[in-house]
Amino acid sequence: TSNINFKISTFNSDIKLHAKLNIAIKAALKAGENIIRSSKRLDRATVETKGNLDFVSNVDKECEEIIMDTILSAYPDHAILAEESGKHGESEYEWIIDPIDGTLNFLRGYPHFCVSIALIKNNRAEEAVVYDPFKDELFTCSRGNGAKLNDTKIRVKNQNSLTKGLLATGFAVRSTTDFSPQLKTINDCLKQGADIRRSGSAALDLAYTACGRLDGFWEFGLSPWDVAAGSLIVIESGGIVADKDGTENYNTSGSIVAGNPKIVKALLKVIK
């Protein structure tokens, strides 16, 4: 606990944290510690199959309990929407939790996964945390106060077109067997001179877009816990987020396009 409190103060030394963001950070760091411990004994992990290439491990469930316990100990009246256990309670405040975004990566020892936590108030994201415990990178934001990577403010990259851009995407392996629309979009982006990554963690792809490592990100077939935190971090980094139809329904439609305004416009044109 003392180490977690030290990390909170280190990552956020020059601002007075919102109390709710503080709790989200504490929950993410606790879950991250459990993930790192568990990654050293993956041979002991128990894994269930939820669907096509969709897995849940005992570590996912343990981390979800850690996060929920931390949040509810501070805010017992708040509601929670968690990937593994579903919806808990009713409130104007709802925490949206993905205990390990990139479970398959984690189970394979592929070091690209994260904890994702967002607080929604009256259907609008207010606080967000995306934590990569392997790299010890903490992306945070409160609405209206900008976004940070650890203790450094971040901004989306000022890329004017898809040419020479670096994009990321993913495949909705859980919900479709027809990838032709996505493959056509990838083909058209490559034709325009972009390069593309497929990492297996939508939350980290959004965080990487927010800090300029990527110029843009799009994906279809997502769930609210995949995008709730990362989308706010992009917005607070000066970017914009839309669904594939150009509206702001990305939390419920399952599709998302993110980046600076010019990149999002270019991606939407290709997708349409």
Side-chain angles (χ1 to χ4, degrees):
T1 303
S2 59
N3 184 44
I4 289 171
N5 289 335
F6 173 75
K7 279 188 174 182
I8 292 173
S9 64
T10 301
F11 285 143
N12 299 277
S13 59
D14 68 336
I15 63 171
K16 184 178 180 181
L17 278 179
H18 288 208
K20 296 179 180 66
L21 180 61
N22 198 329
I23 290 298
I25 292 172
K26 187 174 183 180
L29 293 176
K30 282 184 174 181
E33 285 189 348
N34 187 59
I35 290 169
I36 293 301
R37 281 196 303 270
S38 301
S39 70
K40 297 173 183 176
R41 49 179 193 271
L42 285 175
D43 58 317
R44 303 181 193 175
T46 58
V47 182
E48 301 170 26
T49 301
K50 296 191 290 184
N52 181 41
L53 290 176
D54 191 11
F55 305 100
V56 58
S57 71
N58 62 301
V59 185
D60 292 81
K61 294 177 179 179
E62 289 167 6
C63 290
E64 189 165 288
E65 287 183 13
I66 289 168
I67 295 166
M68 289 176 60
D69 288 347
T70 303
I71 290 170
L72 292 176
S73 66
Y75 301 106
D77 297 328
H78 285 192
I80 287 177
L81 176 62
E83 179 179 11
E84 308 307 339
S85 61
K87 190 170 176 62
H88 306 261
E90 294 288 342
S91 171
E92 65 174 336
Y93 289 101
E94 182 176 60
W95 296 83
I96 300 183
I97 298 166
D98 193 340
I100 306 179
D101 185 50
T103 296
L104 184 55
N105 286 351
F106 167 71
L107 291 173
R108 293 294 185 91
Y110 188 88
H112 196 79
F113 43 79
C114 67
V115 180
S116 176
I117 303 173
L119 175 61
I120 310 297
K121 181 181 180 183
N122 294 326
N123 298 315
R124 190 177 83 154
E126 297 291 336
E127 316 283 352
V129 171
V130 170
Y131 179 52
D132 178 344
F134 188 84
K135 301 180 188 71
D136 203 21
E137 291 188 332
L138 184 73
F139 298 85
T140 60
C141 71
S142 294
R143 182 172 288 276
N145 288 320
K148 285 191 168 189
L149 166 52
N150 293 345
D151 202 34
T152 302
K153 290 183 178 179
I154 54 176
R155 297 289 294 177
V156 293
K157 195 169 181 65
N158 185 25
Q159 173 75 11
N160 292 327
S161 71
L162 298 184
T163 303
K164 297 183 180 178
L166 183 59
L167 309 174
T169 190
F171 295 91
V173 293
R174 294 171 292 186
S175 57
T176 185
T177 55
D178 179 14
F179 300 104
S180 53
Q182 176 71 319
L183 293 172
K184 187 175 187 307
T185 303
I186 291 171
N187 184 59
D188 289 349
C189 286
L190 291 170
K191 279 183 178 180
Q192 292 193 37
D195 201 354
I196 296 171
R197 302 288 181 265
R198 198 279 198 221
S199 74
S201 171
L204 274 182
D205 285 338
L206 287 164
Y208 281 19
T209 300
C211 72
R213 292 174 182 170
L214 295 169
D215 296 305
F217 168 68
W218 86 95
E219 190 170 345
F220 312 134
L222 294 168
S223 299
W225 45 80
D226 297 314
V227 300
S231 58
L232 182 60
I233 293 171
V234 170
I235 291 167
E236 288 299 317
S237 300
I240 62 173
V241 183
D243 69 6
K244 64 183 177 60
D245 297 318
T247 73
E248 295 183 358
N249 296 325
Y250 49 86
N251 272 323
T252 55
S253 70
S255 66
I256 193 166
V257 183
N260 72 41
K262 290 181 179 178
I263 291 295
V264 168
K265 182 178 180 181
L267 278 172
L268 286 173
K269 185 177 180 181
V270 170
I271 291 167
K272 287 179 179 179

